[in-house]
């Protein structure tokens, strides 16, 4: 008997797992928990031979039908051959949506046409082929968005998006750094990103009747880890104290004028014109990366002189605050809980995910809405935020995340007819993710001497934030209690910033200098970090009056300053 994937087979051996065969068959299956069943990422569909596998384990209790966790699905019989496929669903991805150039923005790309000559920064690099195209890239940990831009008109002519194919290396950057360190084949994560971006570029230009050689520049916005992996730079230093990119170390040592990157596309293996350049936006410090800089360029933080804060919520949330001419930033390692990881029925924003919910008095779903109006199969981040707020509002859960006295079983039947439950353990994992976001905003504001009511404008960036109910997010302490009328959702500000720098080369030196001006706060060095984190785990709003920082946590403390 055999185990097979898409026609490629291996001999069936009792005692092995489906994940063992995925390794042997070079099938990319994501995992972040070292195959212990905790992360729920390695879902596969058993397309044949389910009866040859052991019954579902406790970590698989949330699955139905032919789906199993690859790390838990152990072969116990050779009665029938087994075939499997990784779960492939396309999540809802927030793309830019703006096709035509902003009339108030300057159109001055690095690549221009002079007669029949194509020039990059004045250097002739090609003869005109009928089009001059550029690509803006938002390389996120979870998703990737590409925009194909006509560099002569400034118009976005095509957009594509997809899940980041590197997820077989884990759902967050620390797991990917660990994967790079020894669990995977050298360069495997970079090759996956390069191949996916290349395929996206080919599809976009192909729909226009063009070819990759018409692409003369690629501008990349990404967090520190994703950016450096794409550029082939060792990322182990980002995962170890003081958590800095090798590029940041070189800048701090005076060997680089800034932290931006520039390479030839052919050196990175990206499909484009053979003389095309790839520009990686500068990073700020540590895990506050180039995507944060792209967001700052989009919202033009602090240009009005007002007190403004940007929060880009994700597996690694970035917080940047402008106050009285100074910029402060911090990264918050929130993890994947609000993206489906570590929550029994949590899931990404696929069709069938509950995205908003209201509860009855007994704790069951009185009403809910799913993505795509598909039958409910789980609950995504915006729905989880609503759920936590509803549990508190109806006093079915204490601020400490404990179900009230009539809820001692440890779980509620959320959607009984779909078998969807919500447990105290789920609450605990969400509380820790929420606390990371809480700490970042709290410490940045306190360091700057600002209270939430003193924020003139709070920008929420990213796909998760775009679908949040702001009031519910405030009530559970996920975001600071800034008056709701001052909260602005800015969508995918990262891709907007990448496109802006693709179309206007004068913004690049400004962005490189802006990154140098930011005071970077290492949250874990804050003396009372643990106390703030514990407070942030509670399901209640952040106070508007922030207690004073301990003496050693002053904004002038050298260990909290990047520059």
């Amino acid at each position: 008997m055999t185990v097979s994937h898409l026609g490629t087979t291996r001999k069936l051996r009792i005692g092995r797992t489906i994940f063992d065969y995925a390794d042997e068959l070079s099938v990319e299956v994501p995992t972040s928990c070292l195959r212990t069943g905790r992360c729920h990422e390695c879902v596969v569909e058993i397309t044949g031979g389910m009866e040859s596998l052991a019954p579902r384990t406790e970590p698989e209790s949330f699955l139905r039908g032919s789906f199993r966790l690859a790390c838990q699905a152990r072969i116990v019989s050779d009665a029938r051959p087994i075939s499997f496929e990784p779960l492939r669903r396309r999540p809802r991805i927030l793309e830019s949506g703006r096709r035509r150039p902003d009339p108030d923005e300057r159109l001055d790309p690095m690549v221009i046409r002079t007669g029949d000559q194509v020039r990059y920064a004045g250097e002739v690099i090609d003869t005109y082929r009928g089009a001059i195209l550029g690509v803006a890239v938002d390389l996120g940990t979870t998703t990737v968005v590409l925009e194909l831009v006509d560099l002569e008109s400034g118009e976005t002519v095509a957009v594509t998006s997809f899940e980041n194919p590197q997820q077989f290396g884990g759902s967050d950057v620390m797991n990917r750094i660990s994967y790079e360190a020894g669990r995977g084949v050298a360069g495997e994560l970079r090759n996956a990103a390069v191949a996916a971006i290349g395929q996206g570029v080919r599809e976009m230009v192909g729909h226009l009747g063009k070819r990759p050689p018409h692409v003369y520049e690629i501008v990349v916005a990404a967090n520190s880890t994703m950016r450096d992996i794409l550029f082939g730079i060792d990322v182990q230093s980002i995962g170890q104290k003081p958590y800095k990119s090798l590029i940041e170390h070189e800048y701090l040592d005076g060997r680089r004028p800034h932290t931006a990157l520039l390479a030839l596309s052919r050196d990175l293996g990206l499909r484009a014109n053979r003389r095309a350049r790839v520009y990686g936006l500068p990073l700020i410090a540590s895990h506050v990366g180039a995507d944060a800089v792209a967001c700052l360029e989009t919202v033009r933080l602090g240009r009005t002189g007002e007190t403004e804060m940007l929060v880009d919520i994700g597996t690694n949330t970035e917080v940047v605050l402008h106050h009285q001419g100074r910029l402060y930033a911090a990264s918050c390692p929130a993890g994947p809980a609000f993206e489906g990881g570590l929550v029994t029925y949590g899931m990404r924003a696929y069709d069938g995910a509950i995205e908003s919910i209201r509860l009855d008095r007994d704790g069951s779903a009185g009403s809910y809405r799913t993505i795509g109006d598909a039958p409910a199969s789980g609950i995504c981040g915006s729905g989880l935020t609503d759920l936590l707020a509803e549990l508190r509002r109806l006093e079915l859960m204490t601020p400490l995340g404990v179900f009230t006295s009539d809820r001692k079983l440890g779980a509620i039947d959320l959607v009984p007819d779909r078998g969807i439950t919500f447990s105290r353990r789920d609450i605990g994992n969400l509380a820790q993710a929420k606390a990371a976001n809480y700490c970042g905003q709290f410490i940045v504001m306190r360091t700057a001497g600002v209270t939430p009511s003193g924020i003139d404008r709070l920008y929420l960036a990213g796909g998760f934030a775009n679908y949040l109910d702001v009031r519910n997010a405030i009530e559970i302490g996920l975001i600071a209690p800034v008056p709701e009328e001052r909260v602005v959702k800015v969508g995918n500000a990262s891709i907007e910033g990448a496109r802006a720098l693709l179309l206007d080369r004068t913004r690049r030196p400004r962005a490189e200098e802006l990154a140098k001006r930011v005071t970077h706060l290492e949250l874990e060095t804050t003396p009372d970090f643990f106390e703030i984190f514990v407070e942030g785990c509670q399901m209640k709003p952040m106070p508007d009056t922030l207690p004073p920082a301990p003496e050693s946590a002053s904004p002038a403390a050298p260990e909290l300053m990047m520059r």
Side-chain angles (χ1 to χ4, degrees), residues 262-431:
L262 187 65
L264 286 168
S265 63
R266 67 172 182 266
D267 291 342
L268 301 186
L270 288 169
R271 291 293 186 91
N273 188 280
R274 62 182 302 275
R275 302 289 297 280
R277 269 66 164 186
V278 183
Y279 177 78
L281 271 71
L283 54 86
I284 291 173
S286 186
H287 293 284
V288 186
D291 51 350
V293 174
C295 290
L296 294 183
E297 282 296 311
T298 297
V299 303
R300 298 173 181 259
L301 197 77
R303 299 284 174 90
T304 63
E306 294 180 300
T307 296
E308 298 178 324
M309 185 162 70
L310 168 77
V311 181
D312 186 358
I313 305 176
T315 56
N316 190 76
T317 295
E318 291 92 20
V319 179
V320 187
L321 172 69
H322 172 269
H323 179 60
Q324 295 182 349
R326 296 188 66 182
L327 289 163
Y328 306 83
S331 63
C332 321
F338 280 98
E339 296 191 3
L342 306 176
V343 175
T344 307
Y345 285 92
M347 62 186 292
R348 289 183 181 146
Y350 300 116
D351 284 354
I354 296 172
E355 61 174 335
S356 68
I357 189 168
R358 294 295 177 265
L359 299 182
D360 287 335
R361 282 284 174 184
D362 65 355
S364 63
S367 64
Y368 61 84
R369 183 176 68 248
T370 64
I371 296 174
D373 294 323
S377 54
I379 184 164
C380 64
S382 59
L384 289 167
T385 303
D386 287 355
L387 174 57
L388 293 169
E390 283 283 285
L391 288 169
R392 285 292 302 124
R393 195 173 292 127
L394 296 173
E395 297 184 344
L396 297 172
M397 178 182 73
T398 70
L400 295 175
V402 177
F403 293 125
T404 46
S405 57
D406 58 338
R407 296 289 175 191
K408 292 184 178 179
L409 294 178
I412 59 174
D413 291 321
L414 191 62
V415 188
D417 62 326
R418 300 294 297 170
I420 298 174
T421 62
F422 189 64
S423 69
R424 288 180 60 180
R425 178 175 161 185
D426 296 335
I427 295 170
N429 287 322
L430 288 166

